[in-house]
Amino acid sequence: MKIFLDTANVEEIKQAIGYGLLDGVTTNPSLVAKSATKERGFVDIVKEILRITPGPVSIEVVATDYENMVKQGLKIAALGDNAVVKIPMTLDGLRAIKTLSEKQIKVNCTLIFNPIQALLAAKSGAEYVSPFVGRLDDIGEDGMAIIQQIKTIFVNYDISTKILVASIRNPVHVLRSAVLGADVVTLPMDVLQKLPSHPKTDEGLKRFLDDWKKVSPDGEFPL
Ligand code: G3P
């Protein structure tokens, strides 16, 4: 399962690259708005993210009509070989996905909240579908249930579109994504940093180091 960072923050991306854990990045207009400044706007930010990320970077269109989604998508795709055009799940969006994917441009269909939306995006040629599990949980639905259904549908019809689990809020979402065979999880930095942690790991490490002081009182390693 690939791990993407859900951010437009260049420092966070560099940190995740430093961990050796980063397979790609997803951005959206809200995330870009959080990182943009007067001096450094959308174009500078996404160009730098594309340059430093060792994998695909999803960048979202902001048009809602077919023609302008395609126009913006073409411009996004021209920014770099690893650019993926993010298109929202609407009827115009589906048309734009078809047009762009017929030009061999990779599309990530976003704002997916049910499995039929994912099936439609896949039929239109999307490379990725992004179901938003956290936002479904927020309104009392089981977000992960739709990942299971999408997986079943994609297996049923031998669909190669990748399931990119988005709007992840916690490590349990990551665990359940892996158990279900999702292709990608896109994580906020705080969730990525929580993944290696376990209180028993901390406790065990402390005990090993305390015991080591019995062998080497200054804690030095003799090799
Ligand atoms: O990037 C799409 C998605 O991951 C957004 O997540 O936390 O705003 O629901 P969130």
Side-chain angles (χ1 to χ4, degrees):
M1 184 172 73
K2 303 262 188 207
I3 295 179
F4 289 5
L5 204 61
D6 198 24
T7 189
N9 182 318
V10 169
E11 292 314 310
E12 285 185 353
I13 294 167
K14 287 181 181 164
Q15 216 177 332
I17 292 169
Y19 299 154
L21 286 173
L22 191 77
D23 297 311
V25 168
T26 53
T27 68
N28 63 39
S30 309
L31 293 170
V32 173
K34 259 203 260 175
S35 293
T37 59
K38 266 192 194 149
E39 298 72 39
R40 208 150 166 275
F42 169 79
V43 177
D44 291 336
I45 291 173
V46 297
K47 277 188 177 167
E48 184 166 10
I49 295 174
L50 285 162
R51 187 177 59 76
I52 65 174
T53 302
V57 177
S58 292
I59 301 156
E60 191 159 338
V61 301
V62 290
T64 54
D65 63 292
Y66 164 76
E67 280 80 13
N68 285 308
M69 277 197 250
V70 171
K71 267 189 206 160
Q72 292 180 6
L74 290 171
K75 286 184 182 159
I76 289 169
L79 288 174
D81 289 345
N82 55 340
V84 174
V85 181
K86 217 170 174 188
I87 301 270
M89 163 48 62
T90 60
L91 275 175
D92 277 47
L94 287 170
R95 283 183 66 201
I97 292 168
K98 197 165 179 55
T99 301
L100 292 168
S101 44
E102 280 170 0
K103 295 179 191 295
Q104 319 309 322
I105 290 170
K106 291 197 167 124
V107 177
N108 173 358
C109 182
T110 189
L111 290 167
I112 287 190
F113 292 92
N114 73 44
I116 293 303
Q117 292 178 318
L119 176 60
L120 296 179
K123 283 176 72 69
S124 300
E127 173 81 4
Y128 300 95
V129 287
S130 289
F132 278 32
V133 295
R135 292 194 197 181
L136 282 168
D137 291 356
D138 291 345
I139 58 163
E141 293 187 29
D142 179 6
M144 290 310 300
I146 74 159
I147 304 303
Q148 185 159 26
Q149 291 172 318
I150 295 169
K151 182 72 188 177
T152 301
I153 291 167
F154 283 11
V155 169
N156 285 349
Y157 298 105
D158 202 16
I159 289 169
S160 61
T161 299
K162 297 175 181 73
I163 303 173
L164 188 164
V165 184
S167 185
I168 282 186
R169 303 269 193 267
N170 56 58
V172 179
H173 281 146
V174 181
L175 167 65
R176 291 181 67 192
S177 298
V179 170
L180 292 170
D183 300 283
V184 188
V185 284
T186 189
L187 310 177
M189 192 55 161
D190 70 306
V191 176
L192 178 66
Q193 287 172 330
K194 281 177 192 161
L195 294 182
S197 301
H198 194 284
K200 293 300 284 181
T201 304
D202 297 343
E203 181 195 302
L205 180 59
K206 185 177 179 316
R207 197 185 303 168
F208 286 153
L209 295 180
D210 287 347
D211 286 343
W212 179 249
K213 285 189 188 135
K214 295 171 197 159
V215 181
S216 167
D218 57 6
E220 285 297 310
F221 191 57
L223 291 178

